[in-house]
Amino acid sequence: MKTTRIVQNILKNYEGETPGVKAKLHGMLMHGKLAGTGKMIILPVDQGFEHGPARSFAANPGGYDPHYHYRLAIDAGLNAYAAPLGMLEAGADTFAGQIPTILKANSANSLMSGTAGKNQAVTASVDDALRLGCSAVGFTIYPGSDMALDMFEEIREMRREAASKGIATVIWSYPRGEALDKDGETAIDIAAYAAQIAALLGAHIIKIKLSTDHLSLGEAKKVYEAQGIDVATQAARVRHCMQSAFDGRRIVIFSGGAKKGSDSVYDDARAIYEGGGNGSIIGRNSFQRPRADALDMLGKLVDIYRGKA
Amino acid sequence: MKTTRIVQNILKNYEGETPGVKAKLHGMLMHGKLAGTGKMIILPVDQGFEHGPARSFAANPGGYDPHYHYRLAIDAGLNAYAAPLGMLEAGADTFAGQIPTILKANSANSLMSGTAGKNQAVTASVDDALRLGCSAVGFTIYPGSDMALDMFEEIREMRREAASKGIATVIWSYPRGEALDKDGETAIDIAAYAAQIAALLGAHIIKIKLSTDHLSLGEAKKVYEAQGIDVATQAARVRHCMQSAFDGRRIVIFSGGAKKGSDSVYDDARAIYEGGGNGSIIGRNSFQRPRADALDMLGKLVDIYRGKA
Amino acid sequence: MKTTRIVQNILKNYEGETPGVKAKLHGMLMHGKLAGTGKMIILPVDQGFEHGPARSFAANPGGYDPHYHYRLAIDAGLNAYAAPLGMLEAGADTFAGQIPTILKANSANSLMSGTAGKNQAVTASVDDALRLGCSAVGFTIYPGSDMALDMFEEIREMRREAASKGIATVIWSYPRGEALDKDGETAIDIAAYAAQIAALLGAHIIKIKLSTDHLSLGEAKKVYEAQGIDVATQAARVRHCMQSAFDGRRIVIFSGGAKKGSDSVYDDARAIYEGGGNGSIIGRNSFQRPRADALDMLGKLVDIYRGKA
Amino acid sequence: MKTTRIVQNILKNYEGETPGVKAKLHGMLMHGKLAGTGKMIILPVDQGFEHGPARSFAANPGGYDPHYHYRLAIDAGLNAYAAPLGMLEAGADTFAGQIPTILKANSANSLMSGTAGKNQAVTASVDDALRLGCSAVGFTIYPGSDMALDMFEEIREMRREAASKGIATVIWSYPRGEALDKDGETAIDIAAYAAQIAALLGAHIIKIKLSTDHLSLGEAKKVYEAQGIDVATQAARVRHCMQSAFDGRRIVIFSGGAKKGSDSVYDDARAIYEGGGNGSIIGRNSFQRPRADALDMLGKLVDIYRGKA
Amino acid sequence: MKTTRIVQNILKNYEGETPGVKAKLHGMLMHGKLAGTGKMIILPVDQGFEHGPARSFAANPGGYDPHYHYRLAIDAGLNAYAAPLGMLEAGADTFAGQIPTILKANSANSLMSGTAGKNQAVTASVDDALRLGCSAVGFTIYPGSDMALDMFEEIREMRREAASKGIATVIWSYPRGEALDKDGETAIDIAAYAAQIAALLGAHIIKIKLSTDHLSLGEAKKVYEAQGIDVATQAARVRHCMQSAFDGRRIVIFSGGAKKGSDSVYDDARAIYEGGGNGSIIGRNSFQRPRADALDMLGKLVDIYRGKA
């Protein structure tokens, strides 16, 4: 398939970037059923690290096998598949070249006591991404954590190395930590701030969570109210987050969280589409469903992002 | 435009420095409407990192787009434009060479709990500055913070590398932290000390805040009173800060803080001019105004620094 | 002896790995009395570091001499011998090439106060492993410790270097630390999680402890019960741990802990065999017995893993 | 001027040292009015960092200008001038070669809260010293501080690099920190210990403070009393410190602290001379006086060290 | 003198080690009056760092001069002389090649408050040892300290570098810190554990203290009593420590502590000899005596280790 004007316009926003990175972004934007549309659906499977194997895979035990996820992403025609080192390696030969991969380069786990602070371990390197033929590295930051400055410095260095070696950078910008209460983690002012920080750090693709209409920071709340920023609907909030990502100059994809009903998943996608977001990153809601159901659901999401549903 | 005697005299103060750094200082001093005067106005846009996107840009939503600020700085005829990595990159091709740029290489944010200490994350490198064609790196230190020694060591190393690669160093010297109360942060003895520390660390351009006539440190207060140091007016305080920056051998520019009325901005500039300061670094007071107002205000400031207003 | 189909099938699971690593895994799987079966018994002797010399060796004083353990592993026909730097060096010339060796590259000790956190010192390097002709490096992680992220980052780097130099990586994944109580350390949900983390970190061989039917983490417990995961017998728990190690795509061996009666040791091995585990790593239960008894016991274990007892 | 036997005998004590370092020591010992005598007077100006600009320079405002101190040291015929990076750079071209310079490579400041521990920031490097044509690097250690081990490790590394590049090392050994009370900081047992530590760390020139006859450490006190070590007079204490600096095999110079009457300054110098010390390092007592008074006073000190006053 | 069978047998235990290291061990074992016997006496002078100059040298003031100790070690016919960087350097030219030297590469001091933890500063490097012609580096570890893991990692790295450059490693294994009470520091179970840890870390020569018959760790005590390990006499305890050092495959030398009567020193040496230890490291008991007395005493110790007294 030839490149499209939509994709070319997206790439133009990545000024000053290496051709290698642009080629990798092009590769992901031109892969699968959404190729050429400027929209993306990515399958991420790092829940084994984050929540443990049983909580992640027992509901649909095929998922214990790393090959399952490669196949699901390929068969559903997604744009890319993201996972930690061991997970990607376990199918690296079998599926080489069949789908763009994103090496999730840091990971948290559910076995930390609270006292060690909100942080993740860096568990892979840019050279691992090169060796495994990945298109991008993925890296989580926790704006709001006392460890955030360290995480920003880690991704600065990894992003620099990755770009110089022609690898794109995806930042999972997840507000969390000492500065935030539970409502704050999903508040719209915080989500927009998280998108802005990722953009300022040089992310090529930004992954944030869908947000609520809660406003968390006092100083911010005053401004939202004074300026009448529309955060009433999910679509409006997506639009505000796109604005906060350099007025749409960066690709932003949204995640949906724990497994839920498909209608709810579709509603999310429609809001993302309506608000001008670039797509979904959808893990548990795909691989915890039986394979047939997951393929159905992903097919429906493709239709939504093609403006057909 | 040919170089001027004023600029040449300023450059002579940078003894022992590389020609590369002198050329970059020359470039900034000879750019825009203040070219050749020895005065500077710089547009800094790092508030998206420090305060979040809505608090920074909602008042004048054009500012969500990084291109807006490049254009504002160019059209207003300023000497330079300063911003973090992602912000500069987003216009790096479009505006290449049209205005000297300063890569703000570290950043704080409003999402840190108090317990992690006053610090910033280093979010860019000297090689990023080279790659993006910047004239200088900008770096904030927090004299008064328990993290200050670390920050001093970070900028020592970055300055060394930058100078050896022909990049100038701008230090934002902002007193803050465990050793200071709120009044202390803007006290004149602290401001002068902040200028001195930046100069001793080898800054080529020093950015400090305008100060009050408050005296914060007990030992210092005794000396100010015994020696009768004049700190009664803003102009006198600017003069004392210039003295504290190697008796005027270093370029010092002053920032004005949150958005306020234009008369107040002009008063500040007149005090800086009268006290022998080198100029203003003016962010929120420019980009949070409608573009036309901002251009008017910046034009008036140029006139003040040219001694015409 | 020629390679076997069983071993070749195991090696196929190590996708994307260097031929050097595969050759080392092949070497261990094709050595000793279990050669070619896909099963392994490894002798580990790091208890001198962990518990001190008298607790480790006084019961069978021949063990004070490092040569004793090389000879025991060789004469019993085991697959490999694992020990810390000094221990391996002390017989490195005498026994060069006679048995695959694993350099245990980090170690804890019983002389730490609780306040320093659960951690180990890295006491050897990949280059030591190369110099001493080792097949693998061994590294302990403590999922559950506040130091776990640091340990994950250490083994990420050591594993990367080792693989690039053709050395395999064995991870001892031992849950321990602030996030776990005593029962949690041996709970089945934690054991499975420990296996998963080691696999995600890129371990080629995973060493975990046999577990109990206790469920430690509340969120996990709900899933185990809702999905009816069978953890009633030791064999079922071994099977669940193999599943959690990429559905059996990684070699997992099990340790038995403090010295106990031989019947108990045999029962453990039968459960491992029945549950599809790859074998035993058996230290104190071998070298704290008189040599003749140990050889008898190890011979019996070989029979169990060959399916003959 | 040709070298002297006194200087040659001093150099012989620097066994195993590089010719480059010996040449730099020779250069300082053969410069100025004390050339060839084995005695030294050094002007240090790091008080702007330590106490701030007003407390340092307001009493004699010429001192705000870095050139002032170069000229004062040159005109007074001193052996060397020591200052932090920015200060030295600001006159590096104008005064190149006219007086040996010592780059003060770490600095404290008065803007730290107590909670961050007694430490200094390393603000310059050996390569800065080479670039600026310096004879030595100067480095402060705080024996008695909880950060002392780190400081010792920093100067070990800097000294090693400096010596290998032909740059001498001056250690400011200033007891301070959690292990010492106010009297302890100037106690003779502590001063002698400070000299010993600097010597053991490989200092070529040791700077300590003049001490009192107080004995601070209990175990030391017993020995001083049992052995009848003479610490009754300043000269005796200087002698004991020289003994503690490898029995006089290392150059030791003494500082006098805050500004005071000239008679007191002369008394100090006579005690140093009588006790066999190598000289004075004299900052505030010179540059806080009017230039003419300072030159008079420094001339008188030269006479004392020449044995003529 | 030609090499001896005893020395050759000792060297055979250093399997897998570089010829450079073996040559250095050979050099120390073949030097002085105990040459060829497999026994060693080493003079260590690091007390100036540990206790300060007066406590170390006032009793015999010749010792303030670093040359004194070189001469004492040479004239007494000892195997080696060990001291920190500055101390060795101060006689490095004068005594070059006259006696094997050991560069003590880390040091503690008596000026630390308790809060900073039990640790030492690394004050010299392997390259310093090469430059000064040393045979070995000496390094202290504190098993029992919260800093022990860090110290183990430091010596791992230094040992690796030293061995690769043909320099031997001596580990001072001194139990100390948060995990131990005063009696524990000299308990026999702890001493044996200390020897074991040093051996496992790859020490070529192990220095431990003579111990008491106290048993410190509860788990260890049970084993000592159950197995009837003989710790009743000093000779039996030395024998147990040799056993704990790879059954005698490593050279172990013993220190005696503070100055005491010569009879007591001789008793210690006889116990070391009888228990199969390799010798003494004897500091304060030699250099705090008048030189003639010290030479007499050291001569008598030589006789004891030659089996003649």
Side-chain angles (χ1 to χ4, degrees):
Chain A
M1 182 180 176
K2 287 182 70 175
T3 191
T4 65
R5 178 172 306 227
I6 292 174
V7 168
Q8 288 302 310
N9 282 340
I10 290 175
L11 292 186
K12 276 187 196 149
N13 287 326
Y14 292 86
E15 302 193 18
E17 199 42 88
T18 60
V21 167
K22 288 179 188 169
K24 293 298 193 306
L25 293 173
H26 188 263
M28 289 186 279
L29 288 164
M30 294 303 297
H31 187 86
K33 298 183 179 168
L34 287 169
T37 63
K39 303 297 177 185
M40 306 182 89
I41 303 177
I42 294 176
L43 173 69
V45 189
D46 56 352
Q47 292 79 1
F49 223 131
E50 306 259 335
H51 304 140
R55 282 176 63 193
S56 304
F57 306 124
N60 182 27
Y64 282 111
D65 182 351
H67 283 207
Y68 179 89
H69 306 284
Y70 271 103
R71 276 199 203 98
L72 178 62
I74 293 166
D75 293 349
L78 305 189
N79 298 70
Y81 166 51
L85 182 74
M87 204 79 171
L88 278 194
E89 268 191 332
D93 287 336
T94 304
F95 303 99
Q98 301 184 34
I99 186 167
T101 53
I102 299 168
L103 178 58
K104 186 67 185 11
N106 65 347
S107 290
N109 65 81
S110 305
L111 278 170
M112 304 293 292
S113 80
T115 64
K118 282 288 175 191
N119 199 359
Q120 298 208 337
V122 181
T123 56
S125 67
V126 172
D127 283 343
D128 287 320
L130 289 172
R131 173 171 66 84
L132 297 172
C134 300
S135 298
V137 289
F139 195 94
T140 298
I141 56 172
Y142 288 150
S145 163
D146 284 355
M147 299 303 293
L149 301 188
D150 289 297
M151 298 179 100
F152 296 172
E153 298 192 347
E154 285 169 343
I155 186 54
R156 171 208 67 212
E157 194 50 28
M158 185 173 281
R159 179 213 174 283
R160 187 202 55 69
E161 183 189 354
S164 76
K165 293 176 173 170
I167 300 282
T169 294
V170 185
I171 293 185
W172 272 237
S173 193
Y174 277 17
R176 187 164 308 185
E178 291 78 353
L180 292 170
D181 58 20
K182 213 61 201 170
D183 284 343
E185 291 185 3
T186 52
I188 174 60
D189 62 322
I190 303 297
Y193 203 161
Q196 169 83 1
I197 286 177
L200 288 169
L201 289 170
H204 301 109
I205 300 178
I206 297 166
K207 177 190 170 188
I208 56 173
K209 291 191 181 167
L210 288 171
S211 51
T212 69
D213 63 0
H214 180 62
L215 293 167
S216 173
L217 297 171
E219 290 297 308
K221 192 174 184 188
K222 284 185 221 164
V223 171
Y224 277 84
E225 291 172 354
Q227 302 292 343
I229 301 176
D230 179 9
V231 298
T233 64
Q234 191 60 269
R237 294 194 290 274
V238 165
R239 195 170 297 117
H240 179 58
C241 289
M242 294 310 295
Q243 196 178 34
S244 297
F246 294 169
D247 220 8
R249 290 182 187 273
R250 291 292 172 265
I251 298 170
V252 184
I253 54 179
F254 295 82
S255 62
K259 194 184 158 188
K260 51 191 174 186
S262 357
D263 284 350
S264 176
V265 174
Y266 303 146
D267 286 349
D268 285 352
R270 284 190 198 97
I272 296 165
Y273 182 76
E274 188 186 340
N278 294 88
S280 296
I281 180 157
I282 183 160
R284 282 172 287 173
N285 271 300
S286 50
F287 68 74
Q288 289 185 348
R289 277 176 164 76
R291 183 176 144 91
D293 292 4
L295 289 172
D296 277 356
M297 189 196 72
L298 291 166
K300 182 79 178 292
L301 287 177
V302 165
D303 288 342
I304 292 173
Y305 282 120
R306 299 187 72 97
K308 301 180 180 168
Chain B
M1 182 181 177
K2 287 181 69 174
T3 191
T4 65
R5 179 172 308 226
I6 291 174
V7 168
Q8 288 301 309
N9 282 341
I10 289 175
L11 291 186
K12 276 186 197 150
N13 288 325
Y14 292 86
E15 304 194 17
E17 200 41 88
T18 59
V21 167
K22 289 179 189 169
K24 293 300 191 306
L25 293 173
H26 189 263
M28 289 186 278
L29 288 164
M30 294 303 297
H31 188 86
K33 297 184 179 166
L34 288 169
T37 64
K39 302 297 177 187
M40 306 181 90
I41 302 177
I42 294 176
L43 173 69
V45 189
D46 55 353
Q47 292 79 1
F49 224 132
E50 306 259 335
H51 305 139
R55 282 176 63 194
S56 303
F57 307 124
N60 182 26
Y64 282 111
D65 182 351
H67 283 208
Y68 179 89
H69 307 285
Y70 271 102
R71 277 199 201 98
L72 179 62
I74 292 166
D75 293 348
L78 306 190
N79 298 71
Y81 166 52
L85 182 74
M87 204 78 172
L88 279 193
E89 267 191 334
D93 288 335
T94 304
F95 303 99
Q98 300 185 35
I99 186 166
T101 52
I102 299 168
L103 178 58
K104 186 65 185 13
N106 64 348
S107 289
N109 64 81
S110 305
L111 277 172
M112 305 292 293
S113 80
T115 64
K118 283 287 175 189
N119 199 1
Q120 298 208 337
V122 180
T123 55
S125 67
V126 172
D127 283 343
D128 287 319
L130 289 171
R131 173 171 67 85
L132 296 172
C134 300
S135 299
V137 289
F139 196 93
T140 298
I141 56 173
Y142 288 149
S145 163
D146 284 355
M147 299 303 293
L149 300 188
D150 289 298
M151 298 180 100
F152 296 173
E153 298 193 347
E154 285 169 343
I155 186 52
R156 171 208 69 211
E157 194 48 29
M158 185 174 282
R159 179 213 174 283
R160 187 202 56 69
E161 184 189 354
S164 75
K165 294 177 172 169
I167 299 283
T169 295
V170 185
I171 294 185
W172 273 238
S173 193
Y174 277 17
R176 186 165 310 186
E178 292 78 352
L180 292 171
D181 58 19
K182 213 62 201 169
D183 285 343
E185 290 185 3
T186 52
I188 174 59
D189 61 321
I190 302 297
Y193 203 161
Q196 169 83 2
I197 286 176
L200 289 169
L201 289 170
H204 301 109
I205 300 178
I206 297 166
K207 177 189 170 188
I208 56 174
K209 291 189 181 168
L210 289 170
S211 52
T212 69
D213 62 1
H214 180 61
L215 293 167
S216 173
L217 297 170
E219 291 296 309
K221 191 173 185 189
K222 286 185 218 163
V223 170
Y224 276 84
E225 291 172 354
Q227 302 292 343
I229 301 176
D230 178 9
V231 297
T233 64
Q234 191 60 271
R237 294 193 290 274
V238 165
R239 195 170 297 116
H240 179 57
C241 289
M242 294 308 295
Q243 196 178 35
S244 297
F246 293 169
D247 220 9
R249 288 183 187 273
R250 291 293 172 266
I251 297 170
V252 184
I253 55 179
F254 296 81
S255 62
K259 192 183 160 191
K260 50 191 173 187
S262 357
D263 285 350
S264 177
V265 174
Y266 303 146
D267 287 349
D268 285 351
R270 284 191 196 96
I272 296 164
Y273 183 76
E274 188 186 339
N278 293 89
S280 295
I281 180 156
I282 183 161
R284 282 172 286 172
N285 271 299
S286 49
F287 68 74
Q288 289 186 348
R289 278 177 163 74
R291 183 175 144 91
D293 293 4
L295 289 173
D296 276 357
M297 190 196 73
L298 290 166
K300 182 78 179 293
L301 287 176
V302 165
D303 288 342
I304 292 172
Y305 283 119
R306 299 187 72 97
K308 300 180 179 169
Chain C
M1 181 180 177
K2 289 181 67 175
T3 190
T4 65
R5 178 172 306 227
I6 293 174
V7 168
Q8 288 302 310
N9 282 340
I10 291 175
L11 291 186
K12 276 187 198 150
N13 288 325
Y14 291 87
E15 302 192 19
E17 199 42 88
T18 59
V21 167
K22 289 179 188 170
K24 293 299 192 307
L25 292 173
H26 188 263
M28 289 187 278
L29 288 165
M30 294 304 297
H31 188 86
K33 296 183 181 169
L34 288 169
T37 63
K39 302 296 177 184
M40 305 182 90
I41 303 177
I42 294 176
L43 173 69
V45 189
D46 56 352
Q47 292 79 2
F49 223 132
E50 305 260 335
H51 305 138
R55 282 175 64 193
S56 303
F57 306 125
N60 181 29
Y64 282 111
D65 182 351
H67 283 208
Y68 179 88
H69 306 285
Y70 272 103
R71 275 198 203 101
L72 178 63
I74 293 167
D75 292 348
L78 305 189
N79 298 69
Y81 166 52
L85 182 76
M87 204 77 171
L88 278 194
E89 268 192 334
D93 288 337
T94 303
F95 303 100
Q98 300 184 34
I99 186 166
T101 52
I102 298 167
L103 178 58
K104 187 65 188 7
N106 65 346
S107 290
N109 65 81
S110 305
L111 278 171
M112 304 294 291
S113 81
T115 64
K118 282 289 174 190
N119 199 358
Q120 298 208 335
V122 180
T123 56
S125 67
V126 172
D127 283 343
D128 288 319
L130 288 172
R131 174 172 65 85
L132 297 171
C134 300
S135 298
V137 289
F139 195 94
T140 298
I141 56 173
Y142 289 151
S145 162
D146 283 356
M147 300 302 293
L149 301 188
D150 290 296
M151 299 180 100
F152 296 172
E153 298 192 347
E154 285 169 343
I155 186 54
R156 171 207 68 211
E157 193 50 28
M158 185 173 282
R159 180 214 174 282
R160 187 203 55 69
E161 183 188 355
S164 75
K165 293 176 173 170
I167 299 281
T169 294
V170 185
I171 293 186
W172 271 238
S173 193
Y174 278 17
R176 188 165 307 187
E178 291 78 353
L180 292 171
D181 58 20
K182 212 62 201 168
D183 285 342
E185 291 185 3
T186 52
I188 175 60
D189 62 322
I190 303 297
Y193 202 162
Q196 169 84 2
I197 286 176
L200 289 169
L201 289 169
H204 302 109
I205 300 178
I206 297 166
K207 177 189 169 188
I208 55 173
K209 291 191 182 167
L210 289 171
S211 52
T212 69
D213 61 1
H214 181 61
L215 292 167
S216 174
L217 298 171
E219 290 296 309
K221 191 173 183 189
K222 284 184 220 162
V223 171
Y224 277 84
E225 292 171 354
Q227 302 291 344
I229 302 176
D230 178 9
V231 298
T233 64
Q234 190 59 270
R237 295 193 290 273
V238 166
R239 195 168 298 117
H240 179 57
C241 288
M242 294 309 296
Q243 196 178 34
S244 298
F246 292 168
D247 219 8
R249 289 181 187 274
R250 291 293 173 263
I251 298 170
V252 183
I253 54 178
F254 296 82
S255 62
K259 193 184 157 188
K260 51 190 173 186
S262 355
D263 284 350
S264 177
V265 174
Y266 303 145
D267 286 348
D268 284 353
R270 283 191 198 97
I272 296 165
Y273 183 75
E274 188 186 340
N278 294 89
S280 295
I281 180 157
I282 183 160
R284 282 173 286 173
N285 270 300
S286 50
F287 68 73
Q288 288 186 348
R289 278 176 164 77
R291 181 175 146 90
D293 293 3
L295 289 173
D296 277 356
M297 191 197 71
L298 291 166
K300 183 77 179 292
L301 288 176
V302 165
D303 288 342
I304 292 172
Y305 282 119
R306 300 186 70 97
K308 300 180 177 170
Chain D
M1 182 181 175
K2 288 181 67 174
T3 192
T4 64
R5 178 172 307 226
I6 292 174
V7 168
Q8 287 302 308
N9 282 340
I10 289 175
L11 291 186
K12 276 186 196 151
N13 287 326
Y14 292 87
E15 303 195 18
E17 199 42 88
T18 59
V21 167
K22 289 179 187 170
K24 292 300 192 307
L25 293 173
H26 188 264
M28 289 187 277
L29 288 163
M30 295 303 298
H31 188 86
K33 295 184 181 170
L34 287 169
T37 64
K39 303 297 178 186
M40 306 181 90
I41 303 177
I42 294 176
L43 173 69
V45 189
D46 55 353
Q47 291 79 2
F49 223 132
E50 306 259 336
H51 305 138
R55 281 176 65 194
S56 303
F57 306 125
N60 182 28
Y64 282 112
D65 182 352
H67 283 208
Y68 178 89
H69 307 285
Y70 272 103
R71 278 201 200 96
L72 179 62
I74 293 166
D75 293 348
L78 305 189
N79 298 70
Y81 166 52
L85 182 76
M87 204 78 172
L88 279 193
E89 268 192 333
D93 287 336
T94 304
F95 303 100
Q98 299 185 37
I99 185 167
T101 51
I102 299 168
L103 178 59
K104 187 64 185 12
N106 65 346
S107 289
N109 65 81
S110 305
L111 277 171
M112 304 294 291
S113 81
T115 64
K118 282 287 174 189
N119 199 1
Q120 298 209 335
V122 179
T123 55
S125 67
V126 172
D127 283 343
D128 288 319
L130 288 171
R131 173 171 67 86
L132 296 172
C134 300
S135 298
V137 289
F139 195 93
T140 298
I141 56 174
Y142 289 150
S145 163
D146 283 356
M147 299 302 293
L149 301 188
D150 290 297
M151 298 179 100
F152 295 173
E153 297 193 346
E154 285 170 342
I155 185 54
R156 171 207 68 210
E157 194 49 29
M158 185 173 281
R159 179 212 174 283
R160 186 201 57 69
E161 183 188 355
S164 75
K165 293 177 173 169
I167 299 282
T169 296
V170 185
I171 293 184
W172 272 238
S173 193
Y174 278 16
R176 188 165 307 185
E178 292 79 352
L180 292 171
D181 58 20
K182 212 62 201 169
D183 285 343
E185 290 184 3
T186 53
I188 175 59
D189 63 320
I190 302 298
Y193 202 162
Q196 169 82 4
I197 286 176
L200 289 169
L201 289 170
H204 302 109
I205 300 178
I206 297 165
K207 177 188 170 188
I208 56 174
K209 291 190 182 168
L210 288 170
S211 52
T212 69
D213 62 0
H214 180 62
L215 292 166
S216 174
L217 297 171
E219 290 297 308
K221 191 173 185 189
K222 285 184 218 163
V223 170
Y224 277 85
E225 291 173 354
Q227 301 292 343
I229 301 176
D230 180 8
V231 299
T233 64
Q234 191 58 271
R237 293 193 291 273
V238 166
R239 196 170 297 118
H240 179 57
C241 288
M242 294 308 295
Q243 197 179 33
S244 297
F246 293 169
D247 220 10
R249 288 182 188 273
R250 291 293 172 266
I251 297 170
V252 184
I253 56 178
F254 295 82
S255 62
K259 191 182 161 191
K260 51 192 173 184
S262 358
D263 285 350
S264 177
V265 174
Y266 303 146
D267 287 348
D268 284 353
R270 283 191 198 97
I272 296 165
Y273 183 75
E274 189 186 337
N278 293 88
S280 296
I281 180 155
I282 184 161
R284 282 171 286 171
N285 271 299
S286 49
F287 69 73
Q288 289 186 349
R289 279 176 163 75
R291 181 175 145 92
D293 292 3
L295 288 172
D296 276 356
M297 191 197 71
L298 290 166
K300 182 77 180 291
L301 287 176
V302 165
D303 288 343
I304 291 173
Y305 282 120
R306 300 186 70 96
K308 298 179 178 169
Chain E
M1 182 180 177
K2 289 181 65 175
T3 191
T4 65
R5 178 172 306 227
I6 292 173
V7 168
Q8 287 302 310
N9 283 339
I10 290 175
L11 291 187
K12 277 186 196 151
N13 287 325
Y14 291 87
E15 302 193 19
E17 199 41 87
T18 59
V21 168
K22 289 179 188 170
K24 293 299 192 309
L25 293 173
H26 189 263
M28 289 187 276
L29 288 164
M30 294 305 297
H31 188 86
K33 296 183 179 170
L34 287 170
T37 64
K39 302 296 177 184
M40 306 182 90
I41 303 177
I42 293 176
L43 174 68
V45 189
D46 55 353
Q47 292 79 2
F49 222 131
E50 305 259 336
H51 306 138
R55 281 175 65 193
S56 304
F57 305 126
N60 181 29
Y64 282 112
D65 182 351
H67 283 208
Y68 179 89
H69 306 285
Y70 271 104
R71 277 200 200 98
L72 179 63
I74 293 167
D75 292 349
L78 304 189
N79 298 71
Y81 166 52
L85 182 76
M87 204 78 171
L88 279 193
E89 268 191 334
D93 287 337
T94 303
F95 302 100
Q98 299 185 36
I99 186 166
T101 52
I102 299 168
L103 178 58
K104 187 63 186 12
N106 65 345
S107 290
N109 66 80
S110 305
L111 278 171
M112 305 293 290
S113 80
T115 64
K118 282 287 174 190
N119 198 0
Q120 298 209 334
V122 180
T123 55
S125 67
V126 172
D127 282 343
D128 288 319
L130 288 171
R131 173 172 66 85
L132 297 171
C134 300
S135 298
V137 288
F139 195 93
T140 298
I141 56 173
Y142 288 150
S145 162
D146 283 356
M147 300 302 293
L149 301 188
D150 290 297
M151 298 179 99
F152 296 172
E153 297 193 346
E154 285 169 342
I155 186 54
R156 172 207 67 212
E157 194 48 30
M158 185 174 281
R159 179 213 174 283
R160 187 202 56 70
E161 183 188 356
S164 75
K165 293 176 174 171
I167 299 282
T169 294
V170 185
I171 294 185
W172 271 238
S173 193
Y174 277 17
R176 189 166 307 186
E178 291 78 354
L180 293 171
D181 59 19
K182 212 61 198 169
D183 285 342
E185 290 185 3
T186 53
I188 175 59
D189 62 320
I190 303 297
Y193 202 162
Q196 170 82 3
I197 286 176
L200 289 169
L201 289 170
H204 301 109
I205 300 178
I206 296 166
K207 178 189 170 187
I208 55 173
K209 291 190 182 168
L210 288 170
S211 52
T212 68
D213 61 1
H214 180 63
L215 292 167
S216 174
L217 298 171
E219 290 297 307
K221 192 173 182 187
K222 284 185 220 163
V223 170
Y224 277 84
E225 291 172 354
Q227 301 291 344
I229 301 176
D230 179 9
V231 298
T233 64
Q234 191 58 270
R237 295 192 291 273
V238 166
R239 195 170 298 119
H240 179 58
C241 288
M242 294 308 296
Q243 197 178 34
S244 298
F246 293 169
D247 219 9
R249 288 182 188 274
R250 291 293 172 265
I251 297 170
V252 184
I253 54 178
F254 296 82
S255 63
K259 193 184 159 189
K260 51 191 173 185
S262 357
D263 285 350
S264 176
V265 174
Y266 303 146
D267 287 349
D268 284 353
R270 283 191 197 99
I272 296 165
Y273 182 75
E274 190 187 337
N278 294 89
S280 296
I281 181 156
I282 183 160
R284 282 172 286 172
N285 271 299
S286 50
F287 69 74
Q288 289 186 348
R289 279 176 163 77
R291 181 175 145 91
D293 293 3
L295 288 172
D296 276 356
M297 191 198 71
L298 291 167
K300 183 76 180 291
L301 287 176
V302 165
D303 288 343
I304 291 172
Y305 282 120
R306 299 187 70 98
K308 299 178 177 171

